[in-house]
Amino acid sequence: MHPTCYLTLLLWLTFDSLVAQHQLFTIDGVLSAPYSSNLTGVGDRVVWLVTERGVRNIWTATFPDAKLRQLTQQRTDDGQDLNDLTLSPDGRWVAYVRGTGKNKEGVSPNPTSSPTSAEQAVYVVSTTGTAEPIRVGVGSHPVWSPEGKRLVYGNGGQLYLATISDKIHPAPTRLFTARGSQADYSFSPDGRRILFASYRGYHSLIGIYLLDNQQINWLAAGVDRDQFPVWSPDGRQVAFERVPGSRHGELENIQGGRPFAIWVADVATGQGREIWHSPGDDGGFAQYYPTAPLRWTRQNQLLFFSEHDGWMHVYKVAPTRANTPVDLMPGAFEVEETCLSADGRYLYYASNEADTDRRHLWRVNVETAHREQLTSGKGIDTDPVVVGQTLVYRDAAWNEPTGIAWRSMTNPKTTALFPAKWPNTFPKAALTEPQAITFAAADGLVVHGQLFLPPAGLPPAGLPPAGLLPTTTAPKQRPALLFFHGGPMRQMLLGWHYRGIYYANAYAMNQYLAQQGYVVLAVNYRAGIGYGRAFRRADKQGPRGASEYQDVLAAATFLQNHPAVDPKRLGLWGGSYGGYLTALGLARNSDLFACGVDLHGVHDWSWRGNMFSPGGDWGIGEAETKEALASSPNADLSRWRSPCLFIHGDDDRNVAFAETVDLVQKLRSQHVPTDVLILPDEVHGFLLHKSWLAVYGAMDRFLQYYLPVPRSLGTTPKK
Ligand SMILES: CSCC[C@H](NC=O)C(=O)N[C@@H](C)C(=O)O
């Protein structure tokens, strides 16, 4: 070999080892920080869930002293989710649910393949932090009585009552047996009645169970689907939402809409009357997305979510007679989680008003509809909880996962409550701040995205640092990756994502990939949220024409025109609906996309519509089967050439594992390079931290093989 070649090789090896020594951070490191969720509060106390490397524990704090306390002592990544945290009205107990519900076969997820299987059960733990949790019984969705000594929870569609003290005695009892599945339940203000919705297939009814005489009274029974009932402050009336009952062959479409109405019924007579109905099919998402679709305030106002003005907003309407609702926050932005002040005068909420790709907190005076912004800047602030004169909320940034922060209502200064410090393994100083970008799709629709550029000082892919070697013919640009979120009713943001570990980890992985030297673009394609009803319900989306594929192509063009990107080295990755778009890109345009990583994606809408569930949750009717297939990756397999890594848990209850088995077999038969990582007994949102490490590790190796970049080089993270 020519002497110059030896020199080049020597220098290159030196450079590569330099790079290896300067690895800014690892996947384990960027996933090592605690993640706070499920924040709720009562009185002067809040509780929330902390997930740290898969270990889930409940914490509490009281205000105004901001005193922290850990209430549970879980120490292992056991794959058992904690959820439905709810404080007793006196703040003495937290009820919560451990484990996940059963599937159609009656089995709860068991991701560790434990021979003793797994269950979903209700627990309580004292907020003193001095006692072990107490198991109440199999079930979920616990609801406290007003005096804080009784719990109602659901199991198998029926309601159970438990008396709570330092031991669960007597054992919980089934409250009553009613046809259908009982849900949306709550105690009356006097604690002597249980309000509930009884779901019965084509219709549902609102019932009241009287504890004193074990009698059920039905309210305004009709041929519709009555849901989300709430008590009036005096317990003499009930408000609920009414959507039309089903017709033969009608199929659920989670991305569609339906008309809805607000009703009020008199408890004593059972008679009801309509207060308002939506002008169009603006319901559906407005009821299942927010956690409190309908409220009755102490100021005797009904508050409800609706998209009828084109954006997800909260409206108020008087419960006394038919009248026109008032939009409490008119404008071109969306509202998410809310919290009503104890006196009902203020509604606190998270919104992307004036900052489309972030979330900040606001409050609105329900009487005057005057609103004021409470948090701002570069945070991702969500889930407001008001305890006394303190606003507590979930708070993230571009370089910090979601923690807990607070501010007093008299001082705008915000204070981080949890965690007190980030673990040394978490590479906060080495992260890259994503940039907000937009581009236009072929039909002119403006699409938002977040662009992650490799840290400064990182040599362009294939090139050692300037000066080490004479100019080479190596490419002066980087490979790039397009990321697609799932849902699709989701929105990636300019910071750590608040919607559970699934999206927090996706954001973290995009940070890791940028640090590896990839240019990464997270694409907020049509059908997502944050940009209004028309964007979310974009025409011909998904199984009806895959109109969002225009956004995939436009995102690719954006990257190909970026000076840092090698236009011939684009890759795709995404989960669930994002896996669907990844597979669609490789099937339709292997000429554009060099490889992809498809996490539990949908690959055949027509199969899903016929075999997974009636209509596949997207309302895919018999007449739409042909178009549904044409909108799927499976329609273009003959064109698929680029390699793909498929990742799927084989106990997936949201996207059938069969979708991946079928597609991989078909691709293998046409010699497309495929890799698979199958996670036995894992579900859709992987429950084990070690699953996430395995998934992203496999992804890292796959991308390095098909879209290689030299290991990162950069300054060692500043402490
Ligand atoms: C037909 S694709 C199913 C998408 C799936 N929806 C529900 O499970 C999904 O995207 N799930 C996660 C990732 C999400 O809802 O965000």
Side-chain angles (χ1 to χ4, degrees):
M1 182 160 57
H2 190 280
T4 316
C5 295
Y6 278 116
L7 175 63
T8 304
L9 182 62
L10 176 66
L11 284 167
W12 181 255
L13 289 172
T14 311
F15 157 67
D16 210 42
S17 66
L18 262 176
V19 167
Q21 291 159 27
H22 291 77
Q23 184 98 30
L24 289 179
F25 56 84
T26 62
I27 292 171
D28 180 69
V30 77
L31 296 186
S32 67
Y35 180 80
S36 296
S37 62
N38 300 75
L39 176 68
T40 184
V42 157
D44 65 351
R45 181 181 296 280
V46 295
V47 292
W48 70 96
L49 172 65
V50 176
T51 305
E52 188 164 2
R53 287 187 153 140
V55 182
R56 299 169 172 90
N57 277 298
I58 296 173
W59 283 68
T60 188
T62 49
F63 288 90
D65 57 353
K67 186 171 169 30
L68 275 174
R69 185 178 296 151
Q70 184 173 337
L71 297 181
T72 57
Q73 306 305 326
Q74 176 63 27
R75 291 183 174 76
T76 59
D77 173 19
D78 64 359
Q80 292 303 313
D81 217 354
L82 300 188
N83 231 316
D84 296 351
L85 276 62
T86 174
L87 270 163
S88 57
D90 58 9
R92 287 187 56 214
W93 297 96
V94 187
Y96 64 95
V97 171
R98 180 174 184 274
T100 307
K102 296 173 180 172
N103 58 9
K104 288 173 267 192
E105 289 72 40
V107 178
S108 280
N110 180 18
T112 58
S113 304
S114 157
T116 57
S117 81
E119 70 168 5
Q120 182 182 51
V122 174
Y123 287 76
V124 293
V125 64
S126 162
T127 53
T128 59
T130 56
E132 289 293 313
I134 305 169
R135 182 179 176 280
V136 177
V138 172
S140 64
H141 297 98
V143 169
W144 287 99
S145 59
E147 84 288 347
K149 291 183 169 36
R150 293 169 293 156
L151 265 186
V152 166
Y153 59 92
N155 177 25
Q158 301 299 334
L159 302 185
Y160 289 75
L161 179 70
T163 302
I164 303 301
S165 64
D166 295 340
K167 55 187 176 303
I168 307 304
H169 180 75
T173 54
R174 180 184 291 195
L175 263 179
F176 56 82
T177 298
R179 292 176 46 243
S181 180
Q182 323 319 320
D184 309 341
Y185 39 88
S186 60
F187 278 89
S188 56
D190 64 9
R192 295 172 56 200
R193 293 161 292 169
I194 306 289
L195 176 65
F196 64 98
S198 185
Y199 288 84
R200 301 185 169 189
Y202 277 32
H203 72 296
S204 58
L205 303 174
I206 303 297
I208 293 180
Y209 177 70
L210 289 77
L211 291 160
D212 298 345
N213 64 10
Q214 287 87 44
Q215 183 182 327
I216 294 177
N217 295 337
W218 301 105
L219 302 182
V223 293
D224 299 294
R225 217 185 279 279
D226 295 343
Q227 50 193 3
F228 312 116
V230 290
W231 292 99
S232 61
D234 63 9
R236 294 180 179 173
Q237 298 181 89
V238 163
F240 58 90
E241 297 204 1
R242 171 166 284 186
V243 297
S246 300
R247 302 174 188 194
H248 288 322
E250 188 174 347
L251 297 166
E252 173 77 12
N253 177 5
I254 65 172
Q255 273 294 76
R258 58 164 67 95
F260 72 100
I262 306 291
W263 274 61
V264 170
D266 184 275
V267 170
T269 66
Q271 296 304 307
R273 63 188 178 279
E274 181 180 286
I275 298 294
W276 176 80
H277 65 262
S278 63
D281 61 349
D282 304 298
F285 186 65
Q287 281 77 43
Y288 79 73
Y289 188 69
T291 49
L294 176 64
R295 285 189 172 98
W296 197 320
T297 76
R298 288 182 183 283
Q299 308 302 315
N300 209 30
Q301 289 287 343
L302 294 177
L303 305 183
F304 67 94
F305 278 85
S306 179
E307 291 183 297
H308 68 271
D309 284 330
W311 299 83
M312 182 68 82
H313 287 174
V314 177
Y315 294 78
K316 71 172 177 180
V317 70
T320 48
R321 67 206 178 293
N323 62 123
T324 303
V326 172
D327 185 348
L328 289 178
M329 58 292 285
F333 54 84
E334 314 244 63
V335 170
E336 281 188 333
E337 286 314 314
T338 61
C339 171
L340 190 62
S341 60
D343 62 9
R345 294 184 186 283
Y346 286 99
L347 184 72
Y348 294 78
Y349 60 92
S351 170
N352 67 344
E353 179 173 359
D355 201 351
T356 307
D357 294 334
R358 290 192 180 92
R359 295 288 186 273
H360 299 300
L361 301 184
W362 298 69
R363 78 172 182 177
V364 59
N365 180 309
V366 173
E367 187 187 347
T368 65
H370 170 73
R371 66 180 185 267
E372 56 183 308
Q373 188 166 356
L374 302 174
T375 65
S376 57
K378 291 190 173 181
I380 309 292
D381 309 322
T382 57
D383 299 312
V385 171
V386 178
V387 284
Q389 284 307 305
T390 307
L391 174 66
V392 189
Y393 55 96
R394 295 174 68 215
D395 173 47
W398 60 269
N399 56 357
E400 289 185 350
T402 307
I404 304 293
W406 63 278
R407 56 156 281 182
S408 89
M409 292 318 294
T410 51
N411 178 345
K413 173 179 167 298
T414 60
T415 305
L417 175 73
F418 186 91
K421 68 187 283 293
W422 300 102
N424 292 334
T425 52
F426 179 69
K428 177 172 176 180
L431 300 173
T432 181
E433 183 172 0
Q435 301 166 20
I437 60 99
T438 59
F439 53 84
D443 63 358
L445 185 69
V446 173
V447 178
H448 288 237
Q450 296 83 43
L451 188 66
F452 297 75
L453 292 173
L458 203 64
L463 261 188
L468 250 186
L469 272 181
T471 318
T472 74
T473 54
K476 293 183 172 45
Q477 297 163 311
R478 305 174 182 287
L481 295 167
L482 293 89
F483 168 74
F484 303 103
H485 60 72
M489 61 302 280
R490 309 285 180 248
Q491 178 191 15
M492 296 310 284
L493 303 171
L494 289 165
W496 234 277
H497 210 280
Y498 60 95
R499 187 182 172 86
I501 289 291
Y502 193 96
Y503 287 105
N505 286 355
Y507 178 88
M509 188 58 181
N510 284 333
Q511 284 283 355
Y512 173 80
L513 293 167
Q515 180 249 187
Q516 289 301 301
Y518 296 99
V519 173
V520 181
L521 175 61
V523 182
N524 285 344
Y525 56 90
R526 70 190 71 194
I529 61 169
Y531 309 101
R533 183 192 59 201
F535 188 90
R536 184 178 67 76
R537 293 180 59 183
D539 200 20
K540 298 189 178 309
Q541 61 177 266
R544 295 180 172 82
S547 57
E548 58 272 49
Y549 193 67
Q550 299 172 79
D551 307 340
V552 174
L553 294 177
T557 303
F558 173 90
L559 284 176
Q560 286 177 323
N561 293 334
H562 193 285
V565 172
D566 177 348
K568 295 197 179 319
R569 294 201 295 155
L570 299 189
L572 308 169
W573 86 278
S576 203
Y577 207 97
Y580 156 62
L581 292 176
T582 294
L584 198 62
L586 298 177
R588 292 184 175 182
N589 288 99
S590 275
D591 57 323
L592 264 182
F593 305 115
C595 68
V597 181
D598 169 350
L599 283 73
H600 39 239
V602 166
H603 305 130
D604 185 336
W605 282 109
S606 63
W607 179 85
R608 181 180 169 96
N610 289 320
M611 303 300 289
F612 179 68
S613 61
D617 306 329
W618 260 255
I620 304 166
E622 191 67 37
E624 296 176 292
T625 299
K626 188 161 178 271
E627 182 177 53
L629 175 58
S631 307
S632 306
N634 278 17
D636 292 291
L637 297 188
S638 60
R639 297 161 56 188
W640 189 318
R641 297 288 182 275
S642 297
C644 187
L645 168 61
F646 292 92
I647 298 172
H648 213 137
D650 83 340
D651 186 19
D652 194 320
R653 290 122 188 257
N654 299 70
V655 175
F657 181 63
E659 292 264 23
T660 292
V661 176
D662 165 76
L663 178 52
V664 170
Q665 301 305 335
K666 289 171 179 171
L667 291 175
R668 282 178 180 168
S669 67
Q670 58 183 57
H671 309 298
V672 172
T674 57
D675 269 355
V676 295
L677 173 65
I678 301 310
L679 300 150
D681 295 333
E682 263 290 10
V683 293
H684 197 62
F686 307 126
L687 289 165
L688 287 166
H689 181 66
K690 70 177 185 180
S691 295
W692 285 108
L693 294 176
V695 164
Y696 289 159
M699 192 172 145
D700 186 28
R701 291 186 295 277
F702 177 86
L703 291 172
Q704 279 294 348
Y705 185 82
Y706 285 104
L707 277 179
V709 286
R711 285 293 173 197
S712 311
L713 173 68
T715 51
T716 41
K718 293 181 282 301
K719 290 290 176 209

